[in-house]
Amino acid sequence: RGLVGSLAVLSKVGSLSVANMLTMQENGWSIHNYSATHPAFDLLTADQIRKEIEGCQTFLTANGLTSGRSSLVLPFGGRNALVDSVVREYYPYSFTANNAAAFQVLVDGFPEPFQIKRAVMDAPTSAATLIANINTAVSFGLSMNLYGHDVTAGAPTGKTDLATFMAVVDHVKRLSDSGVVQVRNLESLVLGLANG
């Protein structure tokens, strides 16, 4: 559809190869650290958090996936003061997990740089709910950072159903084509707001 987005990856190759990710990066996608093994960071020690961040960062750098250097995407959105403190050693921003209506005010900078919201598209959230939430965000001039896991047909709870994903993408594409919304990857969103 010609839209950009972002990938949050673990330090292993899954259904997308490094070549796939490099092609996406070359076409305007940002690729972000999602940890080495996907644990809930708020249940880890400081050293365990560092190991998770560094493991994935090593993988990203070694493979030329360097377009998402500003932000960590927190597995499960798990954060607390310790997590924020350790993440700050590596990144100025992190994205947490929220619900399907995770709206955010667009401002110059982020009032809480370690709690940038993500709106979940995973089942059981329906396309109708997501589209209604997008329309609400548009009507109030708010931002939504949509995210999902493992987009597949007939996805179970906790994964994003392909039909839901495509309905949302098609809706966003129509809004983008008509000049109603601006679609950005996470890196350009963060850097654009952080730098005015």
Side-chain angles (χ1 to χ4, degrees), residues 23-195:
T23 297
M24 295 171 85
Q25 181 174 264
E26 290 165 9
N27 286 283
W29 286 61
S30 60
I31 315 296
H32 296 266
N33 187 330
Y34 197 34
S35 77
T37 65
H38 198 266
F41 277 27
D42 56 335
L43 303 177
L44 302 179
T45 66
D47 286 341
Q48 289 170 321
I49 296 168
R50 286 184 189 96
K51 184 176 178 182
E52 287 292 328
I53 292 171
E54 291 170 4
C56 188
Q57 192 58 51
T58 298
F59 169 80
L60 293 171
T61 302
N63 288 289
L65 300 168
T66 58
S67 58
R69 294 183 178 194
S70 72
S71 312
L72 173 76
V73 178
L74 291 167
F76 306 103
R79 63 177 286 273
N80 56 31
L82 174 64
V83 172
D84 291 354
S85 174
V86 174
V87 170
R88 187 176 287 113
E89 296 172 16
Y90 300 89
Y91 297 98
Y93 304 99
S94 64
F95 286 80
T96 63
N98 298 92
N99 55 46
F103 305 124
Q104 194 155 278
V105 176
L106 292 174
V107 296
D108 291 331
F110 292 98
E112 294 186 59
F114 294 100
Q115 193 173 357
I116 302 171
K117 298 175 183 176
R118 295 182 288 155
V120 65
M121 296 194 311
D122 293 342
T125 307
S126 70
T129 296
L130 289 162
I131 289 168
N133 290 342
I134 290 167
N135 292 341
T136 298
V138 167
S139 68
F140 288 100
L142 302 172
S143 169
M144 284 186 75
N145 302 310
L146 299 165
Y147 83 99
H149 293 93
D150 301 321
V151 179
T152 56
T157 297
K159 308 289 183 188
T160 301
D161 183 67
L162 179 60
T164 298
F165 180 79
M166 292 310 303
V168 170
V169 167
D170 288 341
H171 183 69
V172 169
K173 176 70 171 158
R174 284 189 297 275
L175 293 173
S176 176
D177 287 349
S178 61
V180 174
V181 299
Q182 184 180 55
V183 178
R184 303 190 62 178
N185 65 40
L186 295 179
E187 190 74 1
S188 70
L189 171 71
V190 166
L191 296 180
L193 291 178
N195 297 325

